[in-house]
Amino acid sequence: MSKKTTQGITVKKDQDFSEWYTQVIQKAELIEYSPVSGCYILRPNAYYIWEKVQQYFDQLIKQDGVKNVYFPLFIPESLLMKEKNHVEGFAPEVAWVESGGHSQLGERLAVRPTSETIMYDAYAKWIRSYKDLPLRLNQWCNVVRWEFKHCTPFLRSREFLWQEGHTAFANKEEAVKEAEKMLNLYEQTFKELYAIPVLKGRKSDGEKFAGAEFTLSVEAFLPNGKAIQGATSHHLGQNFSRAFNISFTDEQGQKQLAWQNSWGLSTRSIGVMILMHSDDKGLVLPPRVAPVQAVIVPILFDDSKKKVLAAAEMIKKKLEARGVLAQIDAREEYSPGWKFNEWEVKGVPLRLELGPKDLAKKQVVVARRDTGEKKEFKISEVSKVIPSLLEYIQFSLYNKAEKLLQERLVKVKDSPAAEKEFQKGNYIYAPWCAEAKCEESFKEKTGGKSLNSPLKQPKVSGKCFNCGNPAKAWFYFGRSY
Ligand code: 86X
């Protein structure tokens, strides 16, 4: 028992957020540290979440006609450097392979930080005519970025998992439409699986991907008052098709450059979900990503053990028949209270307590992880009640997060007001000039930055809230994680 006596979370979420996070991810058995700094082991509980997200998003994009591929992990240096803009700022993060066994390689190979270059090199060979378009490919893979900032599991790691979609179109309109469509699919994934509402919109020029014409993002707002990016969808224009000569002959026989997008969602999103829903007791999992959705804890006494265990088995079977992932915790070396704590730390959405007294009344006590509420249900009703309760919890987590998102948004007229709102843990919406210089000055003054700008927005008039120049668009700003 010794190893497990410090099972609970010993700090509060709003007291020491980073220590709290570190404890949650370890005690919920999501993460183990590895011998390589910045690289983390995703344990079964974490990998299960990623598999759920993969299945969900993969099915969405396949329905839309995207096909999956796999490109090599290694990218020759000359290829990586072909589009200067996009590598420039990132160069310090590239990890290199310089030898194989005892022999030096003729050319260094980058461990992929992202796959634009290696994929577009092939796209140039595959795309000849307008009939080859659109080309819409995606890959699920790992990427490496040798971070020098402090790493945090899920949120910033030197290796992470993601999907990267890379598409090419015959015209700009189609490409732009797709970039927006993918943003909606990210919104849907955050909503339906992670129970997280997002702010959708366009990044400022200062915050966009340097290789893109524009970058769209989904941003989440956390209970600690900070905003965090969830996923991105870039319209690349002809920046890469020019550099990689991805050209096609159009219907009029004219040679044209393809219009491109790239879009990505990574395991970082798991970190966003943890930060959003979890509490002082540990992890809180939305039921749709929970590897165990209902745990049955039988209260065992010598004289009634057999009966209670048999009833627990029967309940488990009923739940499984309804598609609920159920488990019985019949360990005798731990007390019921100890087990309750353990399953709370692990974020299991529902706990079913079943003792001899409950059995006599033909009932179970059901405890919700998200609210702590307890309620009795007839055993005859569990197979009906539990599946709908799980769905209810899924929506209720979403609604709680949505309420936070609405309540913490404040419209402001100037930067002192913005600063005040940030200090209160809010984020803001303001008319902005959208100039990089203005954003810099705002960052220095307030510690906040622009998040994004909704695609459909109110009419803009008057002055920039920060610098007083004419305003160009409504933007969200916040302190970011
Ligand atoms: C930007 C852009 C884009 C496909 C996505 O955001 C979604 C999926 N890619 C990624 N980016 C880089 O281009 C990049 C390049 C190098 Cl060389 C690097 F070392 C790090 C990078 N990080 C991000």
Side-chain angles (χ1 to χ4, degrees):
M1 220 195 260
S2 63
K3 235 181 142 182
K4 290 193 164 180
T5 40
T6 52
Q7 54 161 188
I9 309 298
T10 62
V11 294
K12 299 214 178 306
K13 191 180 184 184
D14 59 11
Q15 272 168 1
D16 188 346
F17 204 64
S18 112
E19 172 62 19
W20 166 86
Y21 182 75
T22 307
Q23 289 194 17
V24 170
I25 57 175
Q26 288 180 86
K27 292 182 175 176
E29 297 179 356
L30 295 169
I31 288 290
E32 182 63 82
Y33 289 87
S34 86
V36 183
S37 147
C39 296
Y40 309 99
I41 298 158
L42 302 185
R43 301 184 65 182
N45 291 342
Y47 204 76
Y48 180 88
I49 301 171
W50 186 237
E51 286 180 310
K52 279 282 161 187
V53 171
Q54 281 189 309
Q55 286 161 14
Y56 187 81
F57 189 74
D58 200 61
Q59 157 240 318
L60 287 182
I61 59 177
K62 277 182 183 151
Q63 271 171 14
D64 198 52
V66 175
K67 292 198 167 113
N68 280 336
V69 286
Y70 186 78
F71 276 75
L73 172 65
F74 301 116
I75 305 175
E77 182 165 16
S78 53
L79 195 55
L80 192 72
M81 300 309 170
K82 235 172 153 174
E83 208 278 355
K84 296 275 179 333
N85 268 339
H86 100 285
V87 199
E88 216 169 339
F90 297 123
E93 291 181 3
V94 179
W96 297 99
V97 175
E98 310 204 331
S99 61
H102 298 299
S103 52
Q104 200 75 14
L105 298 183
E107 182 180 14
R108 297 200 288 175
L109 300 173
V111 182
R112 79 174 148 236
T114 180
S115 302
E116 276 79 357
T117 55
I118 193 154
M119 290 178 79
Y120 301 163
D121 183 55
Y123 282 22
K125 298 179 204 164
W126 297 338
I127 296 169
R128 291 274 113 102
S129 133
Y130 69 93
K131 289 177 188 160
D132 300 322
L133 296 172
L135 179 63
R136 302 176 71 213
L137 303 178
N138 174 71
Q139 70 175 353
W140 292 96
C141 63
N142 60 335
V143 283
V144 170
R145 295 175 185 174
W146 212 254
E147 295 280 353
F148 289 94
K149 288 192 205 144
H150 189 260
C151 287
T152 314
F154 300 117
L155 299 168
R156 186 188 293 126
S157 52
R158 286 177 163 171
E159 179 182 3
F160 57 86
L161 307 180
W162 75 354
Q163 61 67 218
E164 48 178 325
H166 293 270
T167 55
F169 297 84
N171 60 68
K172 180 173 175 160
E173 295 68 41
E174 266 185 85
V176 169
K177 233 169 101 186
E178 191 220 39
E180 291 173 13
K181 178 155 65 179
M182 299 331 284
L183 195 69
N184 288 333
L185 297 187
Y186 288 138
E187 175 188 42
Q188 190 180 333
T189 304
F190 270 84
K191 176 174 186 180
E192 299 297 326
L193 289 190
Y194 289 135
I196 294 176
V198 292
L199 303 169
K200 272 188 306 181
R202 188 174 163 141
K203 285 274 183 193
S204 71
D205 284 348
E207 293 291 328
K208 77 171 172 69
F209 168 37
E213 284 299 308
F214 63 79
T215 293
L216 307 175
S217 73
V218 295
E219 312 269 337
F221 185 75
L222 301 170
N224 69 350
K226 292 196 175 169
I228 187 164
Q229 184 174 295
T232 50
S233 176
H234 311 282
H235 174 54
L236 305 174
Q238 296 177 312
N239 295 343
F240 284 88
S241 59
R242 207 172 293 119
F244 288 85
N245 192 25
I246 307 175
S247 60
F248 65 98
T249 326
D250 69 14
E251 283 174 80
Q252 282 73 45
Q254 300 288 327
K255 218 171 164 143
Q256 290 205 42
L257 292 174
W259 297 86
Q260 293 184 272
N261 295 332
S262 75
W263 26 273
L265 168 70
S266 75
T267 40
R268 183 166 203 249
S269 58
I270 298 174
V272 177
M273 178 204 72
I274 297 166
L275 295 177
M276 179 64 80
H277 300 304
S278 302
D279 62 19
D280 291 346
K281 288 184 171 173
L283 189 64
V284 174
L285 283 174
R288 290 185 190 163
V289 296
V292 179
Q293 295 171 314
V295 63
I296 305 166
V297 182
I299 316 296
L300 302 174
F301 298 98
D302 287 340
D303 57 349
S304 52
K305 192 191 297 175
K306 255 187 140 170
K307 267 196 196 160
V308 170
L309 281 176
E313 271 304 333
M314 182 267 289
I315 292 171
K316 178 179 176 232
K317 290 221 172 78
K318 282 212 223 176
L319 291 177
E320 282 174 342
R322 294 294 179 110
V324 175
L325 300 166
Q327 192 173 309
I328 300 175
D329 184 354
R331 292 174 296 174
E332 298 201 38
E333 62 275 33
Y334 298 107
S335 70
W338 199 95
K339 293 179 190 173
F340 294 177
N341 280 333
E342 169 155 317
W343 295 109
E344 279 171 359
V345 171
K346 288 186 174 165
V348 174
L350 288 175
R351 177 179 75 231
L352 278 60
E353 307 168 15
L354 179 69
K357 286 179 189 161
D358 298 307
L359 199 52
K361 290 195 240 169
K362 299 189 166 123
Q363 68 170 31
V364 285
V365 177
V366 177
R368 270 175 73 170
R369 174 63 185 87
D370 62 330
T371 58
E373 265 176 289
K374 276 199 189 192
K375 224 171 144 182
E376 287 126 23
F377 288 101
K378 288 278 162 230
I379 290 175
S380 60
E381 288 181 337
V382 283
S383 64
K384 219 178 69 196
V385 169
I386 300 297
S388 50
L389 192 50
L390 287 168
E391 276 298 277
Y392 185 81
I393 292 171
Q394 182 80 28
F395 294 123
S396 150
L397 285 171
Y398 179 84
N399 290 340
K400 192 175 159 197
E402 166 89 40
K403 207 171 148 221
L404 181 86
L405 190 69
Q406 304 297 341
E407 283 176 356
R408 300 285 195 92
L409 174 63
V410 182
K411 269 191 197 174
V412 301
K413 292 217 173 66
D414 52 41
S415 58
E419 167 124 56
K420 253 186 224 150
E421 294 306 331
F422 290 167
Q423 273 158 9
K424 286 195 257 174
N426 295 331
Y427 68 106
I428 63 152
Y429 194 46
W432 186 35
C433 68
E435 294 296 331
K437 263 195 185 153
C438 179
E439 177 147 25
E440 278 310 311
S441 88
F442 182 76
K443 257 187 209 166
E444 266 173 43
K445 276 190 285 188
T446 69
K449 62 177 195 182
S450 68
L451 306 175
N452 62 30
S453 174
L455 299 179
K456 284 191 200 110
Q457 50 174 292
K459 224 182 141 60
V460 200
S461 59
K463 290 179 179 172
C464 166
F465 81 108
N466 186 48
C467 72
N469 287 334
K472 284 207 194 91
W474 285 88
F475 261 83
Y476 297 110
F477 288 79
R479 290 182 307 167
S480 69
Y481 194 82

